[in-house]
Amino acid sequence: MEGIDHLADERNKAEFDVDEMKIVWAGSRHAFEVSDRIARLVASDPVFEKSNRARLSRKELFKSTLRKCAHAFKRIIELRLTEEEAGRLRHFVDQPAYVDLHWGMFVPAIKGQGTEEQQRKWLSLANKMQIIGCYAQTELGHGSNVQGLETTATFDPKTDEFVIHTPTQTASKWWPGGLGKVSTHAVVYARLITDGKDYGVHGFIVQLRSLEDHSPLPNITVGDIGTKMGNGAYNSMDNGFLMFDHVRIPRDQMLMRLSKVTREGKYVPSDVPKQLVYGTMVYVRQTIVADASNALSRAVCIATRYSAVRRQFGAHNGGIETQVIDYKTQQNRLFPLLASAYAFRFVGEWLKWLYTDVTERLAASDFATLPEAHACTAGLKSLTTTATADGIEECRKLCGGHGYLWCSGLPELFAVYVPACTYEGDNVVLQLQVARFLMKTVSQLGSGKVPVGTTAYMGRAVHLLQCRSGVQKAEDWLNPDAVLEAFEARALRMAVTCAKNLSKFENQEQGFQELLADLVEAAIAHCQLIVVSKFIAKLEEDIGGKGVKKQLNNLCYIYALYLLHKHLGDFLSTNTITPKQASLANDQLRSLYSQVRPNAVALVDAFNYTDHYLNSVLGRYDGNVYPKLFEEAWKDPLNDSVVPDGYHEYLRPVLKQQLRTARL
């Protein structure tokens, strides 16, 4: 059975060039070549072996993570990898670790909020990993509400120092990755107090541990917050707690690009606009959207391959059973997730462009698009991470009972991924930020101010509030204009309804609190429109051959029509479409599933994931699932002995009825 491609028949059905689709998925030929080369480099290195993670104790798992990080850094230096290549290598090592926060949060925070002088000093050390940093913002009692943080940084003009202090237990920093056991430094967010006045939350670079023996510095209490959900999973990360007892740092360790404190203790806002901090936020959130696409595509790859391998029911007169992937119920659950993976990939590409555009505008002191960009990235972070977390769990269920096995790759993937729904902004809170932006945009529609970017459709409010869908037959739902108008009308009408209901309240904030659930739904409708519109825009690009374009077209309309079906109440209650048009959309959706079916395995092959990266018996490229499930079963420590430990003490007495009966 070794060496046989059990999915060869599926791959032969493909109606498009898989190699072309791999390039489309990667974003460019260069990106594909880099990713492919680095993925294979990692897969062939025995130090990066990860199949035994679930069997390691927490301490063993953490030590193995330190080993892998050190080896990865060594290889990056030896091979003289570029920043892009180094990032891909860390990605394919595929183990949550302190380096994620060092490169993903600590370094960007200094780049975004440090002065040029501070950047020269600290980034030089951080880039060589002579210091290791984390991002200490979240507190035990304060997460998304950054303005409610309690940690204080009080300036002492006598010594030219800030005194960092944890005034209450709820002010303890809690959750920062890399903090528990590794980080030597942190960007700590604290309330800046000088001359008796509180100037709100600012960032400070604080050394936490000795660079000689790694012990915590005086008056600093730091440790790991404990075991998290799942075997392996995020337990390779040392999420930590941190408390300060009047810890002193030099004044120049306040990040001073956006504001500073003088030697005399005077608070001085910088000439650099505070909006620049949004640039860093846009960067971080666009990487989260890209990660959503990676995680969802990984789960979909496993579920699709296994659905093609697994046969169940449908046999007559002893004949062969039906492939699970041929059941419409399986397709109805699986193919929208396949389409979502591609949709999130393309909206992630667009977000990269948006980040570049925002950065260039900020450099030219143009802040006009910042509110829209901020709302857009907040909403898409929320939308994609929620859908991905739910999608991974759905893929686990699509694999039946075997999906529950650790070796399926899905339980650990889920446990690793779900924190994304909370970190960098709770998903519901983020959608409420989008809703506030939408309400402000709606309120300005009559003022002559033209909505821009992702809210440009609101400039056609008069038409969108009156129009009715012209769909008359199922094929009409493949018209991009018809689909976009339906999603635009739904989003606008939901936003306008919320705005009208808000206007009935004398107190706007009270109204906002009362209408929270409706506002979240309006924000989601707006964000789904963005993803649909960016997928449709992708189809207009010169990408791949005819076969590739046809498959992407099918996936695009599966994504859109599945959303229409899922949120049918919104489309009907806003009179955007009729029940008959909804029925036609379902007819078209079933037709699209049939067209994707022969291409499904090839479409997940286009993700170009190695077996090492997938780490799934069910998702193996060769489809040789069942012998490998046995192999994994025999590896479990419980199978080290035929008779289990504890048999003589506990099991034999029960079986032999040697337990004494108590006399009352």
Side-chain angles (χ1 to χ4, degrees):
M1 301 292 281
E2 288 286 351
I4 298 174
D5 184 354
H6 297 265
L7 291 169
D9 288 344
E10 287 293 326
R11 295 188 168 104
N12 290 334
K13 295 175 185 175
E15 301 164 337
F16 67 99
D17 187 324
V18 178
D19 288 335
E20 279 191 9
M21 189 68 88
K22 286 178 180 179
I23 292 169
V24 173
W25 174 261
S28 68
R29 181 173 293 278
H30 167 75
F32 163 71
E33 289 173 350
V34 168
S35 192
D36 185 63
R37 177 165 46 83
I38 299 298
R40 295 179 191 284
L41 174 72
V42 171
S44 64
D45 192 323
V47 176
F48 297 131
E49 170 61 35
K50 58 183 182 178
S51 61
N52 66 337
R53 277 198 300 223
R55 302 181 190 101
L56 299 179
S57 69
R58 177 84 200 282
K59 282 189 172 184
E60 290 170 334
L61 177 67
F62 184 67
K63 189 173 182 180
S64 84
T65 307
L66 298 183
R67 180 184 179 222
K68 288 180 182 180
C69 290
H71 185 64
F73 190 57
K74 178 172 174 277
R75 297 298 285 150
I76 288 167
I77 293 170
E78 287 174 346
L79 298 172
R80 299 182 179 180
L81 299 187
T82 64
E83 192 172 329
E84 177 192 10
E85 291 168 332
R88 297 313 292 161
L89 188 143
R90 287 191 291 269
H91 169 75
F92 285 120
V93 169
D94 187 41
Q95 193 149 312
Y98 67 88
V99 289
D100 301 349
L101 281 298
H102 176 81
W103 296 110
M105 296 295 290
F106 181 72
V107 169
I110 295 172
K111 284 181 178 177
Q113 298 169 46
T115 62
E116 289 185 11
E117 184 181 353
Q118 288 176 322
Q119 289 182 33
R120 278 195 299 272
K121 176 182 177 180
W122 295 105
L123 292 181
S124 174
L125 295 168
N127 288 335
K128 296 172 188 171
M129 295 199 79
Q130 291 173 328
I131 62 171
I132 296 170
C134 66
Y135 189 84
Q137 177 173 289
T138 301
E139 293 178 356
L140 182 59
H142 303 275
S144 296
N145 182 19
V146 177
Q147 297 311 310
L149 297 180
E150 296 180 80
T151 303
T152 56
T154 306
F155 183 64
D156 181 354
K158 295 176 184 174
T159 60
D160 196 26
E161 293 172 317
F162 281 102
V163 181
I164 313 292
H165 185 59
T166 305
T168 65
Q169 190 175 55
T170 52
S172 306
K173 296 299 178 185
W174 191 277
W175 272 116
L179 170 63
K181 293 294 173 184
V182 173
S183 295
T184 62
H185 290 69
V187 171
V188 175
Y189 287 87
R191 313 194 70 78
L192 192 161
I193 299 169
T194 183
D195 199 22
K197 186 174 178 182
D198 185 336
Y199 286 91
V201 176
H202 291 68
F204 301 82
I205 298 175
V206 184
Q207 184 172 346
L208 307 177
R209 292 179 168 96
S210 163
L211 293 176
E212 297 303 318
D213 62 7
H214 206 62
S215 59
L217 296 184
N219 301 321
I220 288 178
T221 303
V222 61
D224 186 275
I225 62 172
T227 305
K228 288 138 306 202
M229 182 172 80
N231 281 2
Y234 240 89
N235 290 303
S236 56
M237 178 79 82
D238 55 326
N239 298 88
F241 60 80
L242 174 65
M243 289 171 281
F244 301 100
D245 183 5
H246 298 92
V247 173
R248 291 178 171 269
I249 63 169
R251 177 172 54 89
D252 65 6
Q253 286 181 212
M254 169 189 170
L255 290 173
M256 293 194 185
R257 187 179 184 192
L258 307 179
S259 56
K260 64 181 180 180
V261 171
T262 67
R263 176 66 184 84
E264 296 72 34
K266 183 183 177 185
Y267 181 81
V268 182
S270 166
D271 293 336
V272 178
K274 281 191 174 181
Q275 292 98 321
L276 276 177
V277 75
Y278 287 127
T280 304
M281 200 176 293
V282 171
Y283 167 76
V284 171
R285 286 179 178 161
Q286 64 96 8
T287 62
I288 292 175
V289 172
D291 288 343
S293 169
N294 288 330
L296 182 56
S297 60
R298 189 170 165 176
V300 167
C301 185
I302 294 168
T304 301
R305 287 176 178 170
Y306 181 63
S307 295
V309 169
R310 182 73 171 182
R311 292 179 178 272
Q312 200 83 53
F313 306 116
H316 299 286
N317 301 319
I320 193 166
E321 291 181 282
T322 302
Q323 287 171 279
V324 170
I325 199 170
D326 284 330
Y327 289 107
K328 288 294 179 181
T329 46
Q330 193 82 349
Q331 294 175 15
N332 187 54
R333 295 161 67 194
L334 178 60
F335 291 170
L337 296 176
L338 173 60
S340 297
Y342 275 89
F344 296 168
R345 191 68 164 191
F346 299 142
V347 82
E349 281 182 7
W350 173 75
L351 276 180
K352 283 184 183 176
W353 170 85
L354 181 71
Y355 170 66
T356 303
D357 181 65
V358 165
T359 304
E360 289 173 354
R361 287 174 181 268
L362 289 175
S365 298
D366 175 4
F367 310 111
T369 62
L370 255 182
E372 191 259 344
H374 178 240
C376 174
T377 51
L380 289 175
K381 181 272 179 185
S382 173
L383 182 82
T384 58
T385 55
T386 298
T388 296
D390 293 345
I392 295 169
E393 169 61 6
E394 186 68 7
C395 285
R396 183 191 66 78
K397 291 186 282 191
L398 283 164
C399 291
H402 295 333
Y404 194 65
L405 286 168
W406 184 89
C407 67
S408 75
L410 292 165
E412 185 178 43
L413 179 59
F414 180 76
V416 166
Y417 189 75
V418 286
C421 295
T422 309
Y423 63 59
E424 285 310 294
D426 173 85
N427 281 357
V428 173
V429 173
L430 289 181
Q431 289 296 10
L432 290 172
Q433 291 180 15
V434 178
R436 285 190 185 275
F437 172 72
L438 293 177
M439 293 304 97
K440 185 176 180 180
T441 305
V442 170
S443 72
Q444 295 172 337
L445 288 179
S447 68
K449 186 173 181 180
V450 181
V452 296
T454 56
T455 55
Y457 69 98
M458 290 188 169
R460 294 181 287 108
V462 174
H463 168 72
L464 291 173
L465 288 171
Q466 297 174 346
C467 69
R468 293 290 179 269
S469 175
V471 168
Q472 295 181 336
K473 54 186 185 296
E475 298 78 39
D476 290 345
W477 279 118
L478 299 180
N479 181 332
D481 293 334
V483 170
L484 278 175
E485 186 173 83
F487 274 82
E488 287 173 348
R490 167 218 183 194
L492 180 73
R493 293 174 191 189
M494 290 176 73
V496 167
T497 298
C498 283
K500 285 180 179 177
N501 289 336
L502 270 177
S503 68
K504 297 173 185 176
F505 290 84
E506 287 185 21
N507 183 316
Q508 284 289 293
E509 276 307 307
Q510 183 193 349
F512 206 87
Q513 292 298 319
E514 288 291 327
L515 298 171
L516 285 176
D518 293 346
L519 287 160
V520 166
E521 292 300 318
I524 289 171
H526 171 71
C527 293
Q528 288 175 342
L529 165 61
I530 294 174
V531 181
V532 169
S533 66
K534 298 310 170 188
F535 205 155
I536 289 175
K538 184 71 179 179
L539 299 178
E540 296 170 359
E541 296 179 14
D542 182 18
I543 44 171
K546 191 174 179 181
V548 165
K549 204 134 191 174
K550 184 175 187 296
Q551 296 311 313
L552 291 177
N553 199 74
N554 290 341
L555 291 172
C556 176
Y557 291 102
I558 284 176
Y559 180 74
L561 297 181
Y562 173 76
L563 287 181
L564 187 148
H565 174 73
K566 185 179 179 183
H567 299 274
L568 189 55
D570 291 349
F571 287 92
L572 293 176
S573 66
T574 55
N575 293 316
T576 301
I577 63 172
T578 65
K580 172 63 175 174
Q581 290 167 332
S583 179
L584 291 172
N586 271 354
D587 292 343
Q588 186 56 58
L589 198 51
R590 283 194 299 275
S591 172
L592 289 168
Y593 291 159
S594 296
Q595 293 176 58
V596 165
R597 164 62 190 95
N599 297 281
V601 168
L603 283 167
V604 300
D605 284 351
F607 302 149
N608 201 37
Y609 293 145
T610 63
D611 283 346
H612 174 273
Y613 180 65
L614 281 182
N615 200 29
S616 168
V617 170
L618 304 187
R620 292 173 56 87
Y621 183 85
D622 64 8
N624 190 22
V625 170
Y626 301 119
K628 296 300 178 181
L629 280 171
F630 260 104
E631 269 186 37
E632 287 301 312
W634 281 117
K635 289 177 186 176
D636 195 279
L638 275 182
N639 288 322
D640 287 348
S641 60
V642 176
V643 176
D645 291 345
Y647 167 76
H648 291 286
E649 300 98 313
Y650 309 115
L651 190 54
R652 181 181 171 84
V654 172
L655 291 169
K656 298 298 182 183
Q657 297 295 302
Q658 292 172 349
L659 302 176
R660 293 180 181 178
T661 303
R663 292 185 179 180
L664 299 178

